[in-house]
Amino acid sequence: MTATMSAPTGAKTSLGLHEFGTPGVVPETMRAWVIRENRFGEPLQSFQEEEVPVPVPGDDEVLVRVVAAGVNYNGVWAGLGKPVSVLKGHGRDYHVAGSDCSGIVWSCGKNVTAWKPGDEVVLHCNWEDPAHGKRTKDKGDFLSYDPMASPRCQIWGYETPDGSFAQFCKVQAQQVLPKPKTMTWELASCYALTYFTAYRMLINRGGIQPGEVALIWGGAGGLGSFAIQICKEMGVKAIAVVSSNDKGEKCKELGAVGYINRKEFPNLAYKEGETPDQAKKRADDYKGVGKKIWDILGERRSPDLVFEHSGAETFPASVFLCSRFGRVVICGATTGYNLTFDVRYLWMMQKRIIGSHFANALDCLRANTLLESGRIKPFLSKVYPYDKIPQAHQDMFENKHIGNMTCLVMAAKEGLINSEDLRQS
Ligand code: NDP
């Protein structure tokens, strides 16, 4: 694949990392952090820099110059090659991770009139199957108008190969959203994946209602920090679970009514092959957490919704702690995806387990509008320079972070807001 077909005469073969260049004039190659199968492993090993061809947008696609790229778990999973090899999935011999981005539209496919070179944008990561709803490929494609009903919808930068840890990335035009005008590039790059996922989990899939109680695992993490803020906006009492009191206090600042430090419950995590004695200690810790929830709420009440993404170690607790008729909404499995739990608590109390996965374009638009109003704020804890992109992922892998993190790509420094700032810096 080369970019020569979209590069007008006079285009340079490559652009300096911080060189602004001219929107519309596309170079042939770019710098990128590249994952290949022969170096699958922890991020410091799997992410290596290479010079690769600039992707060529299709008719309904857009090429975006990356100004800053948010860090999320997709890059960690892609580099580990676990639980699946993303390279086998998309079939190209290298993968550029990155499912979050703030940037500038650099060129557009011939059908794209919504955007033009120079537009300042953020990207959402739901790649839609263009055939969805047309029933040309698959009878099941008309199960719902929601493009996520298509078995071929994909997560950009994870299941597709041209993500944002590079000078340029390629997306469908429907993935493009206007960048909040007064936000810095780094802030605008860090929220889409986690915020839109949390929004769909709570609002669309979880059907959260004012007056309800939600238990938020990883309350100070990427997903959790947004879940708490959405709950507050919705009039829902959010209780965070965290691994330190510092993180817990941060959750209260974000709007949680209280927090549980999971380190005070050392037997909380489910471990495969546990002895009867360990199982009993775990059950005792569940009761201890339940009691703590009552203390925080000031009444004997269980969470109507449990916000799950930590998976194997926490899932049985989530099912236990959830209220009668409550919902456990799950979108991930950081600690393992084979879940073991006591199903009696599920059926006897008629609880529901609900799967949720990123968000569709409508969820993203609605959530972005709420964010632009200033009522929800990204919790950006750390900004890395371009050459520390592998380290940023390593820190996430080692759970050393809090909130969201991002990496500068075209931006030479923090605090810049628009194209003019980039030109002058
Ligand atoms: P973060 O790492 O930012 O936050 C996760 C939090 O989980 C951490 O802050 C940590 O908080 C908590 N955690 C880690 N280990 C454990 C454990 N053993 N028990 C309980 N809690 C634990 O990640 P994200 O919020 O960005 O993502 C979380 C998961 O959700 C990832 O697996 C990711 O792949 C998935 N995900 C899925 C999406 C989808 O669309 N399906 C979208 C986004 C994320 P603490 O140590 O304070 O308890």
Side-chain angles (χ1 to χ4, degrees):
M1 186 163 54
T2 72
T4 45
M5 57 191 273
S6 56
T9 317
K12 293 166 74 168
T13 54
S14 64
L15 274 177
L17 194 61
H18 308 305
E19 181 185 352
F20 194 89
T22 309
V25 180
V26 182
E28 288 177 24
T29 63
M30 63 178 186
R31 293 170 67 177
W33 288 97
V34 169
I35 293 167
R36 292 186 186 269
E37 227 159 40
N38 62 0
R39 51 184 186 241
F40 275 164
E42 294 191 11
L44 287 178
Q45 172 185 311
S46 59
F47 281 69
Q48 302 285 336
E49 205 197 11
E50 295 185 24
E51 187 84 12
V52 296
V54 172
V56 180
D59 291 349
D60 301 324
E61 292 179 332
V62 171
L63 182 74
V64 174
R65 178 84 188 267
V66 181
V67 178
V71 181
N72 52 64
Y73 240 94
N74 285 350
V76 175
W77 297 129
L80 289 170
K82 288 179 186 166
V84 294
S85 160
V86 289
L87 292 137
K88 283 206 173 65
H90 59 59
R92 202 171 72 181
D93 63 346
Y94 69 90
H95 179 76
V96 178
S99 305
D100 261 327
C101 169
S102 64
I104 299 169
V105 172
W106 218 255
S107 76
C108 298
K110 72 176 169 56
N111 296 338
V112 179
T113 53
W115 304 101
K116 59 179 188 324
D119 285 346
E120 298 171 0
V121 298
V122 296
L123 305 176
H124 78 71
C125 66
N126 181 40
W127 186 94
E128 291 179 6
D129 178 4
H132 173 68
K134 296 184 183 152
R135 304 186 82 189
T136 46
K137 282 194 189 165
D138 187 335
K139 294 184 190 109
D141 258 357
F142 207 55
L143 287 173
S144 158
Y145 278 109
D146 186 338
M148 301 204 86
S150 166
R152 285 175 300 275
C153 83
Q154 295 183 320
I155 297 297
W156 161 70
Y158 180 66
E159 291 163 290
T160 73
D162 295 309
S164 56
F165 294 116
Q167 286 183 283
F168 292 91
C169 63
K170 184 179 79 164
V171 291
Q172 295 175 325
Q174 62 81 21
Q175 287 177 247
V176 182
L177 297 163
K179 172 185 166 291
K181 279 197 168 26
T182 55
M183 256 190 197
T184 61
W185 289 102
E186 58 273 15
L187 207 55
S189 69
C190 81
Y191 67 81
L193 184 137
T194 47
Y195 171 45
F196 298 161
T197 302
Y199 184 94
R200 183 174 173 94
M201 284 175 80
L202 291 168
I203 309 278
N204 179 330
R205 304 288 293 157
I208 196 85
Q209 297 295 318
E212 288 193 319
V213 173
L215 185 71
I216 313 289
W217 288 102
L223 289 171
S225 57
F226 282 118
I228 290 170
Q229 295 185 71
I230 295 166
C231 283
K232 188 174 175 225
E233 275 303 303
M234 290 290 295
V236 171
K237 289 179 180 166
I239 298 174
V241 186
V242 286
S243 56
S244 72
N245 290 345
D246 285 352
K247 284 184 174 183
E249 292 304 320
K250 186 68 208 176
C251 291
K252 283 176 83 172
E253 277 172 37
L254 292 169
V257 295
Y259 66 88
I260 292 157
N261 183 344
R262 64 185 170 92
K263 298 292 180 197
E264 290 170 14
F265 299 93
N267 303 303
L268 193 62
Y270 170 80
K271 302 274 184 227
E272 221 181 310
E274 65 187 6
T275 62
D277 183 50
Q278 285 167 329
K280 184 185 173 310
K281 285 186 174 151
R282 183 165 59 83
D284 288 345
D285 268 4
Y286 288 3
K287 287 178 196 147
V289 171
K291 166 87 171 47
K292 183 97 196 191
I293 292 171
W294 294 346
D295 290 346
I296 291 169
L297 294 172
E299 57 179 324
R300 286 168 74 99
R301 195 171 163 194
S302 302
D304 304 282
L305 186 145
V306 181
F307 186 87
E308 244 294 349
H309 47 85
S310 25
E313 289 192 6
T314 58
F315 193 77
S318 297
V319 174
F320 175 84
L321 293 166
C322 183
S323 70
R324 198 172 274 268
F325 278 84
R327 300 86 83 197
V328 178
V329 187
I330 181 161
C331 79
T334 309
T335 64
Y337 56 84
N338 283 318
L339 308 180
T340 301
F341 64 97
D342 187 336
V343 73
R344 290 171 299 175
Y345 295 110
L346 190 83
W347 93 63
M348 294 297 289
M349 298 185 202
Q350 305 190 56
K351 305 178 184 187
R352 277 184 286 158
I353 297 170
I354 301 170
S356 192
H357 191 43
F358 188 56
N360 64 28
L362 182 59
D363 298 323
C364 297
L365 279 168
R366 285 181 170 155
N368 211 43
T369 306
L370 179 59
L371 183 125
E372 280 182 294
S373 75
R375 299 165 74 99
I376 303 274
K377 292 190 172 54
F379 172 22
L380 175 61
S381 62
K382 193 159 178 184
V383 181
Y384 295 77
Y386 172 81
D387 61 352
K388 294 285 184 225
I389 284 173
Q391 186 62 54
H393 286 85
Q394 189 72 29
D395 290 349
M396 172 161 266
F397 176 65
E398 293 174 14
N399 193 19
K400 284 184 176 161
H401 66 296
I402 182 166
N404 289 102
M405 304 187 288
T406 198
C407 304
L408 301 179
V409 179
M410 183 190 186
K413 60 180 183 186
E414 294 177 43
L416 309 178
I417 290 178
N418 52 35
S419 300
E420 205 39 48
D421 290 349
L422 291 167
R423 273 199 190 88
Q424 286 176 9
S425 71

